């Protein structure tokens, strides 16, 4: 089973964290699945948007491993105007986040407005998008994952709702439509 959830703000992806979890948005019967349904990567409590969950460990690994080259695109609203240097910094492959020693893989930034951008990541480090903008001297006000690989978050899937994915959907995800 693989599902796409439009994660709302305020939900965690871990059952070990206190408060509401993404599993609260799913049918109770899913809690009894063997193998268990698990998030494919995570979104922090404040990040909204596209979250995949699956009971297929090899599929999960295929999606999140950097060798898959599946970009994860986020729509970011920022506290301050972009200054123009962020795109080069994020694409350089030399940015090292605070408390880390390994540079980030190159990422793509598409500026949509003075305080709005799309950021495509090719790895998934802890709070990576937020920390990248912080390293560039800005603060993320709102962050929403809008796509993974070739699959986009459907416009008609309301926050808190989910849909089951099939083999054709997974082909789109991996760009084999």
């Amino acid at each position: 089973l693989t599902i796409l959830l439009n994660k709302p703000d305020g939900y965690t992806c871990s059952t070990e964290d206190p408060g509401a979890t993404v599993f609260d948005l799913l049918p109770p019967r899913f809690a009894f699945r063997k193998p268990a349904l698990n998030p494919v990567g995570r979104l922090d409590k404040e990040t909204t948007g596209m979250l995949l969950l699956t009971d297929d460990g090899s599929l999960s690994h295929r999606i999140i491993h950097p060798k898959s080259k599946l970009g994860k695109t986020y729509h970011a609203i920022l506290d301050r105007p972009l200054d123009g240097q962020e795109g080069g910094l994020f694409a350089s492959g030399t940015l090292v986040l605070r408390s880390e020693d390994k540079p980030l893989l190159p990422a793509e930034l598409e500026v949509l407005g003075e305080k709005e951008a799309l950021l495509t990541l090719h790895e998934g480090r802890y709070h990576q998008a937020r920390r990248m903008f912080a390293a560039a001297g800005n603060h993320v006000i709102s962050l929403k994952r809008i796509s993974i690989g070739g699959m986009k978050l459907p416009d008609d899937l309301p926050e808190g709702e989910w849909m089951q994915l099939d083999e054709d959907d997974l082909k789109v995800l991996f760009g084999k439509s």
Side-chain angles (χ1 to χ4, degrees):
L1 175 66
T2 302
I3 65 171
L4 184 161
L5 171 70
N6 188 354
K7 181 193 161 304
D9 183 27
Y11 288 80
T12 65
C13 291
S14 172
T15 55
E16 296 173 15
D17 293 332
T21 75
V22 295
F23 298 99
D24 297 333
L25 301 169
L26 303 175
R29 70 181 184 275
F30 283 10
F32 302 104
R33 293 188 60 84
K34 299 285 187 230
L37 196 61
N38 289 299
V40 179
R42 292 188 177 181
L43 293 177
D44 64 43
K45 188 174 184 177
E46 297 81 26
T47 300
T48 63
M50 187 174 186
L51 178 67
L52 300 179
L53 296 103
T54 187
D55 60 7
D56 183 340
S58 63
L59 174 63
S60 180
H61 180 75
R62 217 172 123 208
I63 294 169
I64 64 174
H65 199 282
K67 287 183 182 177
S68 72
K69 305 252 192 265
L70 288 182
K72 288 96 179 160
T73 301
Y74 298 82
H75 179 250
I77 305 293
L78 304 164
D79 185 42
R80 292 183 286 287
L82 293 157
D83 66 16
Q85 56 86 28
E86 298 90 354
L89 176 64
F90 296 168
S92 70
T94 61
L95 178 60
V96 177
L97 297 174
R98 179 176 287 165
S99 78
E100 295 190 13
D101 55 8
K102 182 180 175 191
L104 297 172
L105 292 176
E108 296 85 43
L109 183 73
E110 179 184 343
V111 176
L112 300 177
E114 186 178 68
K115 298 180 181 181
E116 183 179 8
L118 297 179
L119 177 63
T120 301
L121 305 177
H122 300 281
E123 59 187 325
R125 299 198 198 173
Y126 180 75
H127 294 287
Q128 183 176 345
R130 293 177 189 280
R131 292 171 66 207
M132 288 173 71
F133 282 110
N138 213 325
H139 175 74
V140 173
I141 299 294
S142 168
L143 192 63
K144 179 178 186 175
R145 183 159 54 199
I146 59 170
S147 70
I148 299 173
M151 180 176 285
K152 295 184 182 345
L153 179 65
D155 292 333
D156 61 351
L157 185 65
E159 277 194 1
E161 297 296 318
W162 60 275
M163 59 184 268
Q164 186 170 339
L165 301 181
D166 60 24
E167 288 301 316
D168 289 338
D169 294 321
L170 296 178
K171 288 177 184 173
V172 169
L173 178 73
F174 289 103
K176 299 176 183 173
S177 52

